[in-house]
Amino acid sequence: MNLSLLILLLVIFLVPTILQVRRQKARLNEMQQLQASLGVGDRVVTAAGLHGVVVALADGVVTLEISEGVSTNWDRAAIVSRQPAPVVPGGDAGASAPEHEA
């Protein structure tokens, strides 16, 4: 009885721990792929919440332009997400819209 209870307790505590470790490894791998695939012109967000555009890349350093003419250097590991390009109002959307006939 005591052995089966011990095995049950081990399973109850080990299974969630193993699943958590797998999720963390997957997230770490995803972050490393993102950081390795950065390119000039990418819009990114740092761990500190700073939004900017990549203007230069070195070994472990990313230079971000945070405002026109204002650039800062960040460790590549500080980049946590890539943002989609902004949508320009009145850009190409008007060209593909069908015309209404009167």
Side-chain angles (χ1 to χ4, degrees):
M1 181 83 174
N2 289 337
L3 182 60
S4 62
L5 182 61
L6 179 63
I7 291 172
L8 180 62
L9 286 173
L10 283 173
V11 169
I12 288 173
F13 288 110
L14 286 179
V15 169
T17 303
I18 291 170
L19 293 175
Q20 179 65 25
V21 168
R22 289 184 60 168
R23 281 183 287 207
Q24 285 177 335
K25 282 185 180 181
R27 180 70 177 141
L28 178 63
N29 187 29
E30 179 184 316
M31 292 298 288
Q32 288 173 338
Q33 288 177 351
L34 166 74
Q35 293 162 356
S37 69
L38 290 175
V40 174
D42 287 345
R43 297 176 56 81
V44 297
V45 178
T46 67
L50 181 81
H51 293 246
V53 177
V54 176
V55 292
L57 295 164
D59 288 334
V61 178
V62 177
T63 303
L64 298 180
E65 184 176 53
I66 55 174
S67 183
E68 193 171 325
V70 179
S71 297
T72 59
N73 292 329
W74 290 82
D75 190 71
R76 190 179 287 251
I79 307 300
V80 295
S81 69
R82 180 181 289 133
Q83 299 297 306
V87 177
V88 178
D92 293 336
S96 61
E99 294 183 18
H100 295 286
E101 293 183 20

